[in-house]
Amino acid sequence: MTSEKMRTRFAPSPTGYLHIGGARTALFNWLYTRKHEGTFILRIEDTDQARSTEESTKAILDAMSWLGLCWDEGPYFQADRVKIHQEMVEKLIDEGKAYYCTCQPEELEAKRKQALAQGRKPKYDRTCCERGLAKSADSVVRFRCPDVGATVLRDLIKGNISFNNEELDDLIIERADGYPTYNFAVVVDDALMGITHVIRGDDHVNNTPKQIHLYEALGYEVPLFGHVPMILGADKARLSKRHGATSVMAYKDMGYLPEAIINYLVRLGWSHGDQEIFSMEELIGMFSLEAVGKSAAVFNPDKLLWLNQHYIMSYEEERLIETMLPFWRERGFDTSDHRFIRKITADLRPRAKTLVEMADSGTFYFREDVAYDPAAAAQFLTPEYAGHLEAVRDGLPGLADYTKDGVEAFLRALADQRGTKLKWIAQTLRVAITGKTVSPGIDEVMVTIGKESALRRIERAIAASRQG
């Protein structure tokens, strides 16, 4: 199959947000298509009208855009194509390949229980197959699935998988409300959209033999299939909310960068030697389905944090500032002074693993009346340390070289004069200025906030120390 003909798709259902697992499937499709210069299609599978929402559709589109997974065609909406699906259902009925069924749920459940009790596979017994029923208010349409021989799935990831046709069911392809079921709609849409490669999660493996029979019954060419193993939590159970966030946009809100998410997701089940960090250009060049593992991948949040920290450090300065602005503004901080924001960002980025951590750890830059951490205040804002603060207050106004190096030299000289270690003066200053014992270097902080703000904070801390 030539690259010019390659057409892939990502087809999420808008019944919730874009899940991490779905995002990885979209990414694998996107990379594979870009590598082969094919066409990547986005289709929203919204035929489940009771559960599909516009909010979920928007969330999926937003997540795809945020990740940079731009599509070449679409988004198409499956619900807009119901008439086409219905025509294809009629075609199968006319050809004797599908039939109306009026068996009620309670009847089917009773038959299912009976089959299980007798040690048989609980498949539909074809009660309505030869009855020649016409369409009615409560009828569904079933596809007459071949029941002899075997169907072989030549999976691009898992290899050959054989299914005994005798175990396949006469699946419902149209519900009583006239809407197609997933297995039917996806076959018709993939065929009519010219999809050549179906790359999806391996929870669809058991659907594939039924879909292959539908392709053949409708006279369509069967595409190539590749089923990606699922993602597990650390406990080896399927990834779920109890393992942490599973929505892509939740990670955006938590301060993760899209490059980190992309880099992390691609390494969940795919590898290229020992390389851990990839640019998008490298991924497009290197990605192959042959290198996708056959077993499930385990989600490691610590690895994702490590990658996020890497990208925070590697982001171009102005881009990082622009990405950070919503987090500052969400906290009610004034971001109008771009020079000030640039300095804060430079101070904080070496320590931050997420943008949220960066925003929360830097609140002291924006307010002089910092809240003192009780334990820090109890240790450092005391009469014993007040003399250090007073010495800084008295000497700082005359410091001409108010730079990082100049402040550091000033504090070192002050420590020598007072016969103490630099760390005791620096830590006392840190609590006075930031309210806590952990922050970027206190010399950097003092330069960023400016001499006047530093002096006001020190004066306030002296008062608190004398009261203590």
Side-chain angles (χ1 to χ4, degrees):
M1 191 168 289
T2 64
S3 62
E4 288 75 22
K5 292 182 179 179
M6 180 180 289
R7 289 171 65 85
T8 66
R9 51 70 165 178
F10 178 56
S13 298
T15 56
Y17 299 110
L18 181 60
H19 186 278
I20 283 290
R24 184 186 62 164
T25 299
L27 174 60
F28 282 8
N29 272 280
W30 190 89
L31 290 173
Y32 193 59
T33 311
R34 289 289 175 265
K35 179 173 183 177
H36 294 281
E37 300 179 354
T39 301
F40 177 62
I41 296 166
L42 178 61
R43 186 176 70 232
I44 305 297
E45 302 200 329
D46 56 348
T47 52
D48 186 344
Q49 294 290 288
R51 298 177 61 221
S52 298
T53 68
E54 289 185 15
E55 180 187 13
S56 293
T57 297
K58 183 179 184 304
I60 290 168
L61 298 182
D62 287 347
M64 293 282 288
S65 297
W66 180 66
L67 290 172
L69 303 180
C70 50
W71 48 93
D72 303 307
E73 290 183 19
Y76 297 112
F77 291 87
Q78 204 169 54
D80 294 340
R81 303 170 58 81
V82 169
K83 190 174 183 211
I84 297 172
H85 305 140
Q86 291 170 338
E87 290 172 356
M88 294 300 102
V89 168
E90 289 297 326
K91 177 179 185 294
L92 292 182
I93 291 173
D94 292 344
E95 295 175 356
K97 298 174 182 176
Y99 57 93
Y100 289 106
C101 173
T102 56
C103 293
Q104 297 303 300
E106 56 272 17
E107 297 176 69
L108 296 172
E109 179 60 19
K111 290 177 180 180
R112 189 188 75 83
K113 289 181 178 178
Q114 183 180 21
L116 288 172
Q118 295 174 352
R120 294 183 288 111
K121 185 177 179 65
K123 55 184 285 190
Y124 181 61
D125 63 2
R126 290 185 167 170
T127 296
C128 295
C129 184
E130 305 298 339
R131 292 172 66 186
L133 298 174
K135 184 176 179 62
S136 63
D138 62 348
S139 64
V140 300
V141 179
R142 288 183 181 272
F143 172 63
R144 183 162 187 167
C145 205
D147 55 5
V148 295
T151 302
V152 178
L153 165 61
R154 292 175 173 81
D155 197 282
L156 296 170
I157 295 172
K158 293 179 173 292
N160 289 353
I161 306 173
S162 181
F163 300 86
N164 185 347
N165 290 341
E166 188 179 356
E167 296 187 358
L168 301 180
D169 214 342
D170 280 7
L171 69 153
I172 295 173
I173 58 175
E174 185 178 280
R175 297 189 290 265
D177 62 5
Y179 276 87
T181 57
Y182 164 77
N183 277 304
F184 188 72
V186 74
V187 166
V188 172
D189 289 341
D190 281 350
L192 296 184
M193 291 180 182
I195 303 303
T196 60
H197 294 69
V198 175
I199 303 165
R200 58 189 180 183
D202 66 0
D203 51 332
H204 288 291
V205 165
N206 288 333
N207 288 326
T208 308
K210 305 169 193 175
Q211 292 174 6
I212 289 173
H213 289 304
L214 284 169
Y215 277 105
E216 293 172 343
L218 289 164
Y220 296 144
E221 182 178 353
V222 180
L224 299 175
F225 291 94
H227 289 90
V228 181
M230 68 177 62
I231 302 174
L232 306 179
D235 58 358
K236 303 301 172 68
R238 186 167 184 167
L239 190 67
S240 66
K241 288 182 178 178
R242 65 193 176 88
H243 297 108
T246 57
S247 158
V248 168
M249 295 306 271
Y251 281 93
K252 179 185 179 186
D253 293 342
M254 292 188 318
Y256 286 81
L257 298 172
E259 292 84 353
I261 299 294
I262 288 288
N263 202 145
Y264 184 70
L265 288 179
V266 79
R267 288 287 285 110
L268 280 177
W270 175 86
S271 62
H272 185 81
D274 295 327
Q275 188 169 341
E276 291 287 351
I277 296 170
F278 301 85
S279 68
M280 192 64 94
E281 292 72 22
E282 286 178 316
L283 287 175
I284 291 171
M286 297 173 177
F287 186 80
S288 70
L289 292 180
E290 291 77 15
V292 175
K294 294 180 173 61
S295 56
V298 177
F299 192 87
N300 181 348
D302 291 335
K303 181 72 169 292
L304 176 55
L305 271 175
W306 174 78
L307 278 167
N308 204 55
Q309 187 173 35
H310 165 81
Y311 282 104
I312 286 175
M313 286 301 298
S314 63
Y315 252 39
E316 187 270 330
E317 181 184 51
E318 288 301 317
R319 188 181 178 201
L320 181 60
I321 290 170
E322 192 65 29
T323 308
M324 272 299 301
L325 288 179
F327 293 91
W328 295 129
R329 291 167 181 163
E330 185 181 278
R331 287 155 178 77
F333 298 138
D334 180 3
T335 60
S336 59
D337 186 342
H338 189 76
R339 181 171 172 273
F340 183 47
I341 295 296
R342 187 189 302 119
K343 286 182 176 182
I344 295 172
T345 304
D347 285 355
L348 293 173
R349 73 190 297 179
R351 294 168 170 265
K353 293 182 179 178
T354 70
L355 303 185
V356 166
E357 180 185 328
M358 197 164 163
D360 288 341
S361 67
T363 58
F364 63 85
Y365 284 101
F366 296 91
R367 52 185 305 170
E368 293 182 358
D369 59 336
V370 294
Y372 301 123
D373 173 78
Q379 182 176 1
F380 292 103
L381 299 189
T382 64
E384 177 187 356
Y385 287 96
H388 294 332
L389 294 177
E390 290 171 340
V392 174
R393 176 199 62 192
D394 294 342
L396 201 58
L399 179 62
D401 183 17
Y402 197 75
T403 62
K404 179 181 183 299
D405 290 343
V407 171
E408 181 183 359
F410 165 73
L411 295 179
R412 286 189 181 279
L414 198 64
D416 290 341
Q417 291 171 19
R418 297 184 61 80
T420 188
K421 292 183 178 179
L422 174 62
K423 68 177 182 179
W424 299 122
I425 292 181
Q427 197 69 331
T428 307
L429 261 180
R430 179 174 282 109
V431 176
I433 289 173
T434 72
K436 50 193 178 182
T437 56
V438 177
S439 77
I442 194 59
D443 44 8
E444 298 172 50
V445 171
M446 290 173 68
V447 172
T448 296
I449 65 174
K451 186 185 291 187
E452 296 307 315
S453 179
L455 285 168
R456 287 192 295 270
R457 294 173 190 229
I458 293 167
E459 197 67 66
R460 178 173 174 258
I462 290 172
S465 300
R466 292 305 182 193
Q467 289 173 3

